[in-house]
Amino acid sequence: MNTEASDAMNLEKTQILVVDDEEDMCWALKMIIELEGYGCTAVRSATEALQTISRLPFHVAFIDIKLSDMEGLDLVDRIHQLIPTLPCVLVSGFYYVDDSPIQERITNGAVVRFISKPFRIEEVQEAIRSIAINDVNRVVGHDTESSLPVPQVVLQPPEFNPPV
């Protein structure tokens, strides 16, 4: 299947981006997310993440703090500058929710949730559900309308101009 056809099919459901440089962690998060009925794109670097969000809309991004090509915190900051309405969930085995870099990003709205590794499946499921309930029917990043599998409110997505 070509990339455009694959991208078009994936836009029919809620899309979640996973960014983690560990293949096993990408796989685990992708399986949890897809078993919940959501679409998932997993990438293994910050560079791939930035390229991906420039061409596809997402409802949520799960981002590991320790990435091979950029700190996850810096990636969150870049995403927040590009698409301030994209909810980001930080995932880390190195930080805690009350560490100041995490709290700063929660306070400024760049991060909506923090999950410590190792995590329980229920933590990921709850994060997705709470964001879906708070952001009913909103795709951010592109001028596209999409429906989440939750009640009947339709919000218009913000206009997005991908970086050149």
Side-chain angles (χ1 to χ4, degrees):
M1 180 178 296
N2 70 33
T3 304
E4 286 182 25
S6 170
D7 290 349
M9 274 182 26
N10 285 337
L11 290 178
E12 294 176 10
K13 58 171 123 174
T14 300
Q15 293 300 304
I16 298 174
L17 177 66
V18 170
V19 186
D20 198 306
D21 58 350
E22 295 178 37
E23 186 174 350
D24 291 346
M25 189 57 61
C26 280
W27 179 85
L29 284 167
K30 187 172 171 71
M31 290 301 103
I32 294 167
I33 291 164
E34 289 178 344
L35 286 171
E36 285 292 301
Y38 301 103
C40 182
T41 300
V43 297
R44 298 200 35 219
S45 72
T47 303
E48 282 182 276
L50 291 168
Q51 291 169 347
T52 303
I53 66 168
S54 74
R55 65 181 182 80
L56 293 173
F58 291 96
H59 291 86
V60 183
F62 281 79
I63 301 170
D64 182 32
I65 291 181
K66 296 290 183 187
L67 298 169
S68 57
D69 61 340
M70 179 189 294
E71 283 292 311
L73 293 169
D74 294 332
L75 176 59
V76 164
D77 293 340
R78 294 270 308 272
I79 290 172
H80 191 62
Q81 288 172 350
L82 295 169
I83 311 171
T85 55
L86 178 62
C88 291
V89 177
L90 281 175
V91 183
S92 178
F94 296 97
Y95 285 86
Y96 298 97
V97 69
D98 50 352
D99 288 341
S100 64
I102 308 303
Q103 284 302 307
E104 287 171 24
R105 284 156 180 90
I106 290 172
T107 301
N108 76 14
V111 171
V112 296
R113 198 85 175 232
F114 178 86
I115 298 175
S116 295
K117 289 180 184 176
F119 53 78
R120 293 183 343 271
I121 292 171
E122 295 81 18
E123 290 177 281
V124 175
Q125 292 168 327
E126 173 55 32
I128 296 167
R129 289 177 190 145
S130 70
I131 293 164
I133 289 168
N134 289 330
D135 298 316
V136 176
N137 291 337
R138 180 177 56 86
V139 172
V140 296
H142 293 267
D143 194 15
T144 303
E145 198 173 296
S146 176
S147 359
L148 293 174
V150 287
Q152 326 122 342
V153 175
V154 176
L155 302 176
Q156 294 299 317
E159 189 170 320
F160 174 71
N161 297 314
V164 183

